[in-house]
Amino acid sequence: MLKAFLRQKGFRISKTLKFDPPLSHSLFPFSLKFCSTSTSDPHSFAVSYLINNCGFSQESALKVSKHVHFKTSQKPDSVLTLFRNYGFSDSDIHNIVKREPWLLSCNTNKRVLPKFQFLLSRDASTSDIVRIVTGNPRFLKLSFENRIIPAYSLVNRFLQSDKRAIASIICCPSLLSGTCLVPNVKLLVDNGVAHSNLYRILRVNPYVISSTDLGKMVQELRNLGFDPSKSYFGVALLAKISVGKSQWNEKIDTFKRWGWSEETILEAFRRQPNCMLTSNDKINRVMQFWVNQLGWSSSYLVKGPGIFGYSLENWVIPRALVVQYLLSKGLISSSASLVTPFVMSEKLFLKRFVEYFGKEETSQLLKLYQRKMKDEDKRA
């Protein structure tokens, strides 16, 4: 009877009762004990399935099994097969099932496949789908018609490109599953935020749209004098939300140590909100070079706080050497804005501060500038 049972299940039986197991399409080794498609103890079956097919430990399987409902392997097998066909690894599937165990009991043709097919139709690759789902598998639980399509359409409305929309969703998968997208977009539009700002936010840091504090941040920026219709409002919003309160206060203290007042810091933030995205270490290194090595007042940097966002070695120092040389030769006035040479493009800087002077001076300035650039490239 044992031989007949094993042959029925696909095993090859030798004369010595040794047997080779049939080829399995499961993701994980399948134990003989639980190869049958049903069991008298559904809970025990689920635990065993999770261990043998999804890579769970005994302890984890016991916990997860409380949230799954299947008595046979038919549905969970179809789920694993679908995920595997779309390029999900064993580790991916394990983590997805751990977070959303209900998936093993679902009808894949109704709950999962339409969402995969929709993303593919919007120019997403299978690897894009893997990144989106592993980033936030909860979106598979939501209504395709009532939640997924409207959310995607709203993101695509501002980005005007399936490629850009998919990239933003990969960066912030909660755009498809969170509850903040629609009300937050409405909040920004109602406050006069330009579409160009919404485009910038969705491209650069879509997590802003998922923030539960967005309304508070918008009001704070308005109180500081920021105009929501201007392009810099989007940058300020990114800075305000991206930097935690404790980090924000640390940056304030760092600027204060270099002589900036609260009012000065606010002025710099208004001029270039990105200055608050600079690390404390970078702020200190720029200030150290500007004040201690060049001997210039830190107050000049308030007029051009964008300098904190440039490379100190490859941008600030080479230009500073040129400016120092010009000052020493009296070729530019000491009363001129010292920050101007640091915030202009490379082409304009060369035209106005290197190539503008006589042939001899231009040659000397170019050597000075290019030598420093080459030195930094070698160090890099």
Side-chain angles (χ1 to χ4, degrees):
M1 291 181 65
L2 176 60
K3 288 184 179 181
F5 173 79
L6 292 175
R7 286 196 181 96
Q8 183 181 4
K9 297 302 178 183
F11 289 90
R12 297 195 301 273
I13 310 301
S14 68
K15 293 182 179 180
T16 57
L17 284 181
K18 291 181 180 180
F19 54 87
D20 297 317
L23 294 176
S24 171
H25 294 292
S26 299
L27 292 172
F28 298 92
F30 212 70
S31 70
L32 174 62
K33 183 177 179 181
F34 299 104
C35 275
S36 63
T37 58
S38 65
T39 178
S40 59
D41 185 351
H43 180 72
S44 176
F45 178 79
V47 171
S48 301
Y49 191 93
L50 289 166
I51 293 172
N52 293 305
N53 294 277
C54 301
F56 282 86
S57 66
Q58 180 77 26
E59 182 180 359
S60 296
L62 286 169
K63 291 180 181 179
V64 173
S65 67
K66 297 175 183 178
H67 305 283
V68 297
H69 306 284
F70 54 83
K71 297 180 180 180
T72 72
S73 64
Q74 183 178 358
K75 280 190 175 181
D77 279 352
S78 68
V79 174
L80 298 187
T81 298
L82 176 64
F83 278 114
R84 182 178 60 187
N85 288 342
Y86 274 82
F88 290 81
S89 68
D90 293 354
S91 177
D92 292 332
I93 294 171
H94 170 87
N95 291 326
I96 290 168
V97 171
K98 185 177 181 179
R99 294 168 66 181
E100 302 293 336
W102 62 271
L103 279 165
L104 291 180
S105 307
C106 79
N107 182 328
T108 55
N109 289 329
K110 291 182 178 181
R111 301 298 298 277
V112 180
L113 187 58
K115 290 157 190 173
F116 286 5
Q117 291 175 333
F118 172 76
L119 291 173
L120 286 175
S121 72
R122 292 300 181 268
D123 211 25
S125 65
T126 53
S127 61
D128 291 335
I129 293 174
V130 171
R131 293 171 69 184
I132 291 170
V133 176
T134 54
N136 190 356
R138 181 177 175 271
F139 99 92
L140 294 174
K141 196 172 189 176
L142 304 179
S143 167
F144 176 56
E145 297 290 342
N146 299 326
R147 291 287 299 277
I148 303 304
I149 292 180
Y152 182 88
S153 298
L154 186 58
V155 173
N156 193 46
R157 171 187 165 191
F158 291 100
L159 294 179
Q160 292 293 302
S161 161
D162 283 321
K163 185 177 181 179
R164 289 191 287 267
I166 292 296
S168 290
I169 291 167
I170 290 173
C171 179
C172 179
S174 60
L175 285 176
L176 288 182
S177 61
T179 58
C180 294
L181 176 64
V182 174
N184 278 350
V185 168
K186 184 177 186 302
L187 169 73
L188 294 175
V189 172
D190 289 347
N191 273 274
V193 175
H195 279 212
S196 59
N197 275 331
L198 279 162
Y199 173 91
R200 180 194 297 270
I201 291 169
L202 286 168
R203 285 286 284 160
V204 178
N205 192 345
Y207 278 99
V208 168
I209 301 295
S210 299
S211 173
T212 56
D213 293 328
L214 189 62
K216 178 183 176 182
M217 297 302 178
V218 168
Q219 191 56 52
E220 281 187 22
L221 291 176
R222 293 188 70 124
N223 293 340
L224 290 175
F226 283 91
D227 184 348
S229 67
K230 303 299 183 183
S231 61
Y232 61 74
F233 186 84
V235 182
L237 195 58
L238 288 171
K240 195 67 177 171
I241 291 179
S242 299
V243 181
K245 186 176 181 179
S246 61
Q247 289 179 313
W248 187 274
N249 291 333
E250 287 176 7
K251 294 178 194 293
I252 296 292
D253 291 339
T254 300
F255 281 122
K256 283 183 174 180
R257 284 195 291 271
W258 290 100
W260 286 17
S261 64
E262 292 271 3
E263 185 178 344
T264 299
I265 297 169
L266 179 57
E267 181 185 348
F269 180 55
R270 285 199 190 104
R271 286 178 178 272
Q272 181 49 267
N274 274 338
C275 69
M276 293 303 288
L277 293 171
T278 307
S279 69
N280 288 320
D281 177 65
K282 179 67 175 298
I283 294 171
N284 282 321
R285 289 194 299 117
V286 171
M287 288 290 198
Q288 168 75 22
F289 176 74
W290 190 272
V291 176
N292 296 343
Q293 292 185 240
L294 297 177
W296 298 341
S297 172
S298 66
S299 62
Y300 286 113
L301 291 171
V302 179
K303 305 297 183 182
I307 291 175
F308 291 103
Y310 296 124
S311 167
L312 181 62
E313 293 76 15
N314 295 322
W315 187 281
V316 179
I317 294 177
R319 296 188 181 206
L321 295 179
V322 170
V323 173
Q324 275 188 314
Y325 179 87
L326 293 174
L327 287 170
S328 69
K329 295 292 185 178
L331 296 173
I332 59 173
S333 171
S334 59
S335 62
S337 174
L338 286 176
V339 299
T340 301
F342 298 90
V343 295
M344 58 178 53
S345 67
E346 176 82 358
K347 182 178 180 180
L348 190 57
F349 173 77
L350 290 173
K351 181 179 179 180
R352 291 183 57 181
F353 292 93
V354 176
E355 300 167 353
Y356 177 79
F357 305 96
K359 185 175 181 180
E360 184 177 341
E361 295 294 352
T362 295
S363 177
Q364 179 64 25
L365 287 166
L366 199 56
K367 287 179 182 178
L368 181 68
Y369 181 66
Q370 291 179 339
R371 182 171 68 246
K372 186 61 183 175
M373 293 290 286
K374 288 178 182 178
D375 288 345
E376 296 305 332
D377 287 340
K378 287 179 181 178
R379 290 193 183 96

